[in-house]
Amino acid sequence: MMYEPNVFPIEIAKMLAGNPVDQAIGVLAVTIHGGLGLRNPDKMSGTPDPYAVVSLNGRDALGKTKTVKENPNPRWGDTLYVIITSLNDSLTLQLYDWNEYRKDKELGTATFPLEQLGEITEHENLQLEVMANGKQRGVVQADVRFFPTIEPLKLEDGTEEPAPESNTGIARFTVEQAKDLDGTKSLIGALNPYAVLLLNGKEIHTTQKLKRTNNPIWDNGSKEFLVTDRKAARLGLVIKDDRDLAADPILGTYQIKIDDMMLLMDKGQEWYHLAGAKTGRAKMMLQWKPVSIRGITGGSGGYITPIGVMRIHFQNGRDLRNLETVGKSDAYARVLLSGIEKGKTVTFQNNLNPDWDEVVYVPVHSTRERLLLEVMDQENLGKDRSLGLTEIAAADYIHTAENGEYEVHDSKKSMSEPLRIHGKGTPKGKLNFTVAFYPTLNLVDPEDEVEEEAADGGADEQSSVDGKKPSLDRGSRKSLDTNRDGLETGAISRKTDGREAGKIDTSLARQLSKGEKEQEKTTGETKTPPKLRLSPEELVKHESGLLIFKLIEGTLAHSDVRVEVVMDDMVFPAVSSAKVKSKHTQFGEIGDAFVRELDFSKITLRLREKQDKKGEEDKSDSTTAKLTGSTMETLLRCL
């Protein structure tokens, strides 16, 4: 029974956001190398023209390989990326024999239970049996790798540290509703609206079509998809009026970079005024889950170029907590970013008042990041113990000028902060330090230059529209547009309003680009500072800066090692790869290192074994090989 004013509130945003069980837990990379001895169940059909289709539990197709003509031992070498929501499913590889005139015939099915990824996330050189009617019909050779989403770090006090910034991840784009759509475009004043979601000009989702309303609310307005280059990715929204016979007119558009929308979401903005319309606004939301995908040699592996470096000067500690029953704590200080150790001081043995007087530089990527400064007690046996920590926010030191450039913050005001175990409880001891921020120069990215040249030459239709190469179509990578259920919009042909889904509608892309300029005039978006172009001679005149390392591939003398990059006399590596499991490997990893004095700097590449003994992984390292050279000479050779 309802009472005056007969209103029942419904949390639509929460309903549309989905339950945790419905949301992505990671990305599955399925590399299908080839098949062996594939046989057609029909002996009269001859040699098959095989291709493989990927699905979960044999349901809807998620992607497919190319077709190899007349070969029972095909070599595909295709990698398909699938967003998954549970490890309780099974990966299904269905083999088909292509035919030009009749329906393609199924050769058999190979399966791989995803629960095996719970303990070991990478399974290489799998030999999966192809079964049909209880009989073996060949073998599929494949690699299956699972890359989980990077979740925020939960501290013991219940608070959460933000997840690391990543250029690769899963985006969940939602259009919940629209209001005040322009009813003059309908003869009866009432519209039949539906929304089309786009990524880099490609249609990725269409909502249901509602009847006779100018204030639609869509219950299927969410789309989850993989983004491999966030900085270049643009989200688009087009709202149309459904006409049964005539072409559907556009009621309004909106296009925005993912990075810009994330900033607006942080400020609490939900409603966006539509471009190309007299009236109308839409309520949109964006959720971002970072994923670090390794092994894509043409990709970024989630790497984001830093906007500058934070200079942490650890001066000293005073009256520190003593955890020893005999003697005093062996204290050192370290800095963590998103739970990852980025640098540390030397250890002062048996000292509760250490004078470190050391400087650590930490590259930062956005104002949303937070750094933990923690004092530790070094242990010879067992893990080091925390003596307390304090937290600093990057936003307190990173500010922008009117032209959009980041400003230098080098007042270096001395700070004395109390130390709490896990950031809570009664403080004991103090950490004295200073913090400064130095922005990087806004230089032209070589990859961006290549994209601009492609746009100028008209090589890429999408590039000619918005000046960016689509983030999901680089090199030979396939099927990177996926929804929450893993359906790849570019892999399986589907029709939408007479066009193939996943294809770029150039006229629509031009209208989105035009509308984006209108948005800039009306919303006053953040200014972008001009990019600088430096010659190699001008570049090396700068004494300090960041070096970006891209590990592509390697042939090593040892396996089960990590490749590390160490700068100058530092003990802690600036870049460390994932463990290399074979002597010849594809890395596809990117990292950076800070150079203090270019003229005197040295780079050391080393291979280190990791021996897991009682959690003391770092203390039992052994270097199997290393190579040291001049940073200046290396830089000049690369330029």
Side-chain angles (χ1 to χ4, degrees):
M1 182 174 182
M2 296 182 66
Y3 298 95
E4 190 71 24
N6 297 332
V7 174
F8 184 74
I10 300 176
E11 294 284 351
I12 295 177
K14 292 182 179 179
M15 292 170 58
L16 294 180
N19 297 322
V21 70
D22 298 324
Q23 297 190 5
I25 62 171
V27 176
L28 199 66
V30 184
T31 301
I32 306 176
H33 297 294
L36 290 175
L38 299 181
R39 299 189 299 276
N40 203 312
D42 185 357
K43 296 181 180 180
M44 304 298 294
S45 297
T47 304
D49 303 326
Y51 67 89
V53 174
V54 176
S55 64
L56 292 177
N57 298 327
R59 296 194 298 260
D60 295 338
L62 310 179
K64 67 178 182 180
T65 66
K66 57 180 175 284
T67 301
V68 178
K69 296 294 183 68
E70 298 184 354
N71 194 335
N73 304 302
R75 303 306 299 172
W76 291 299
D78 290 340
T79 299
L80 305 176
Y81 294 85
V82 178
I83 292 176
I84 60 174
T85 59
S86 171
L87 292 180
N88 295 323
D89 297 324
S90 290
L91 176 70
T92 303
L93 302 180
Q94 294 170 297
L95 283 299
Y96 288 91
D97 176 18
W98 176 85
N99 189 276
E100 186 174 0
Y101 302 106
R102 58 174 170 77
K103 182 180 178 181
D104 296 348
K105 182 174 294 185
E106 185 173 353
L107 300 178
T109 302
T111 60
F112 176 80
L114 297 185
E115 61 184 12
Q116 298 183 34
L117 299 170
E119 297 181 358
I120 303 175
T121 59
E122 297 187 10
H123 292 258
E124 298 179 344
N125 301 317
L126 294 172
Q127 305 290 319
L128 303 177
E129 290 187 348
V130 178
M131 304 296 294
N133 301 322
K135 296 180 179 180
Q136 184 184 10
R137 295 293 178 180
V139 173
V140 172
Q141 300 167 321
D143 297 341
V144 178
R145 294 176 294 162
F146 175 57
F147 302 102
T149 56
I150 305 174
E151 302 295 339
L153 178 66
K154 291 185 178 181
L155 303 179
E156 294 190 9
D157 61 356
T159 60
E160 288 188 349
E161 279 293 307
E165 290 290 329
S166 175
N167 198 40
T168 302
I170 299 170
R172 185 183 181 92
F173 184 29
T174 301
V175 55
E176 177 187 319
Q177 58 179 305
K179 287 187 176 181
D180 305 324
L181 297 179
D182 188 2
T184 62
K185 294 189 177 182
S186 172
L187 294 177
I188 60 175
L191 304 166
N192 301 322
Y194 66 95
V196 179
L197 305 184
L198 303 98
L199 175 64
N200 295 325
K202 293 183 179 181
E203 295 185 16
I204 57 173
H205 183 62
T206 301
T207 68
Q208 80 268 38
K209 300 173 181 179
L210 303 181
K211 297 293 184 181
R212 297 182 180 86
T213 176
N214 297 350
N215 299 287
I217 298 177
W218 294 287
D219 59 10
N220 68 335
S222 291
K223 177 73 173 183
E224 212 161 34
F225 47 89
L226 177 64
V227 177
T228 59
D229 188 3
R230 194 181 83 184
K231 67 178 182 180
R234 276 181 165 83
L235 299 175
L237 168 68
V238 178
I239 298 180
K240 295 183 178 183
D241 182 26
D242 181 33
R243 303 285 175 88
D244 291 331
L245 300 177
D248 297 346
I250 294 176
L251 303 176
T253 67
Y254 201 91
Q255 182 166 260
I256 186 172
K257 289 183 176 181
I258 286 184
D259 282 348
D260 292 339
M261 188 167 181
M262 291 178 65
L263 291 174
L264 293 176
M265 290 285 294
D266 289 341
K267 297 177 182 178
Q269 182 168 335
E270 293 182 334
W271 289 92
Y272 300 83
H273 292 280
L274 299 175
K278 295 179 181 178
T279 61
R281 55 198 178 110
K283 186 176 183 181
M284 299 186 294
M285 292 172 288
L286 176 66
Q287 294 172 281
W288 176 259
K289 291 185 175 182
V291 179
S292 178
I293 301 180
R294 301 182 304 276
I296 305 178
T297 56
S300 66
Y303 178 79
I304 290 183
T305 304
I307 60 175
V309 294
M310 300 285 285
R311 179 187 185 272
I312 314 295
H313 180 197
F314 290 105
Q315 296 172 327
N316 54 61
R318 291 293 179 262
D319 193 25
L320 299 179
R321 197 182 308 266
N322 189 13
L323 300 179
E324 302 292 340
T325 54
V326 178
K328 300 176 181 178
S329 297
D330 304 325
Y332 68 90
R334 65 176 184 169
V335 55
L336 298 97
L337 179 63
S338 300
I340 301 172
E341 186 174 285
K342 292 295 183 180
K344 59 184 178 182
T345 68
V346 298
T347 301
F348 274 60
Q349 302 288 336
N350 198 36
N351 195 329
L352 300 180
N353 297 284
D355 292 303
W356 296 297
D357 193 24
E358 286 193 47
V359 174
V360 176
Y361 292 90
V362 181
V364 290
H365 312 85
S366 79
T367 57
R368 296 187 293 272
E369 293 181 319
R370 306 181 74 86
L371 290 83
L372 292 181
L373 308 184
E374 187 173 26
V375 179
M376 303 291 293
D377 176 25
Q378 187 178 47
E379 292 292 311
N380 293 325
L381 298 175
K383 293 184 178 181
D384 296 347
R385 298 177 292 181
S386 176
L387 300 179
L389 59 83
T390 186
E391 185 180 72
I392 58 176
D396 294 339
Y397 301 91
I398 303 176
H399 306 285
T400 55
E402 292 183 358
N403 65 350
E405 292 183 348
Y406 292 105
E407 297 179 321
V408 175
H409 187 292
D410 61 352
S411 60
K412 297 175 185 161
K413 179 181 177 182
S414 294
M415 303 176 66
S416 182
E417 295 293 329
L419 298 171
R420 291 179 169 85
I421 299 294
H422 304 303
K424 64 178 183 179
T426 304
K428 172 62 175 174
K430 287 192 174 183
L431 176 65
N432 299 310
F433 60 95
T434 67
V435 180
F437 172 73
Y438 299 98
T440 56
L441 295 178
N442 193 29
L443 299 179
V444 174
D445 191 321
E447 291 186 359
D448 291 342
E449 282 189 303
V450 173
E451 293 171 5
E452 290 172 4
E453 290 173 3
D456 293 339
D460 190 299
E461 194 68 42
Q462 172 66 6
S463 297
S464 67
V465 173
D466 59 25
K468 295 289 184 181
K469 182 184 286 187
S471 66
L472 303 185
D473 283 324
R474 292 196 172 191
S476 60
R477 286 176 287 152
K478 300 181 179 180
S479 307
L480 297 187
D481 279 344
T482 52
N483 68 7
R484 176 175 58 78
D485 297 321
L487 182 60
E488 299 154 358
T489 60
I492 305 298
S493 175
R494 292 173 288 116
K495 298 289 184 179
T496 304
D497 293 339
R499 291 185 311 279
E500 200 171 298
K503 298 296 183 181
I504 296 175
D505 184 339
T506 55
S507 62
L508 183 58
R510 282 193 291 269
Q511 186 161 345
L512 280 169
S513 182
K514 180 181 178 182
E516 192 172 6
K517 295 178 181 177
E518 180 181 326
Q519 294 164 201
E520 293 174 357
K521 293 179 181 178
T522 57
T523 61
E525 293 183 359
T526 305
K527 293 183 179 179
T528 302
K531 289 185 177 292
L532 302 178
R533 192 182 302 273
L534 297 181
S535 66
E537 293 76 17
E538 293 172 324
L539 188 64
V540 297
K541 290 180 180 179
H542 293 269
E543 186 179 51
S544 302
L546 285 168
L547 279 179
I548 298 176
F549 294 88
K550 186 171 185 178
L551 301 178
I552 301 174
E553 62 178 335
T555 301
L556 312 175
H558 305 274
S559 58
D560 293 326
V561 296
R562 282 180 167 87
V563 178
E564 296 182 344
V565 179
V566 182
M567 300 303 300
D568 305 325
D569 57 351
M570 304 297 291
V571 176
F572 192 79
V575 180
S576 181
S577 75
K579 182 178 288 187
V580 177
K581 296 185 178 181
S582 60
K583 294 182 179 180
H584 183 78
T585 186
Q586 300 279 343
F587 291 101
E589 299 184 46
I590 302 180
D592 51 49
F594 181 72
V595 178
R596 291 171 292 181
E597 295 180 283
L598 181 59
D599 290 336
F600 306 102
S601 178
K602 298 285 186 182
I603 299 176
T604 299
L605 294 178
R606 68 187 185 192
L607 301 181
R608 304 203 80 180
E609 294 178 339
K610 300 280 184 177
Q611 301 175 0
D612 298 325
K613 293 181 179 179
K614 299 180 181 180
E616 301 178 56
E617 189 175 74
D618 290 334
K619 295 177 184 178
S620 56
D621 290 351
S622 61
T623 301
T624 60
K626 69 176 181 179
L627 174 67
T628 301
S630 166
T631 302
M632 174 73 82
E633 293 179 5
T634 303
L635 181 60
L636 289 174
R637 290 177 62 185
C638 294
L639 296 174

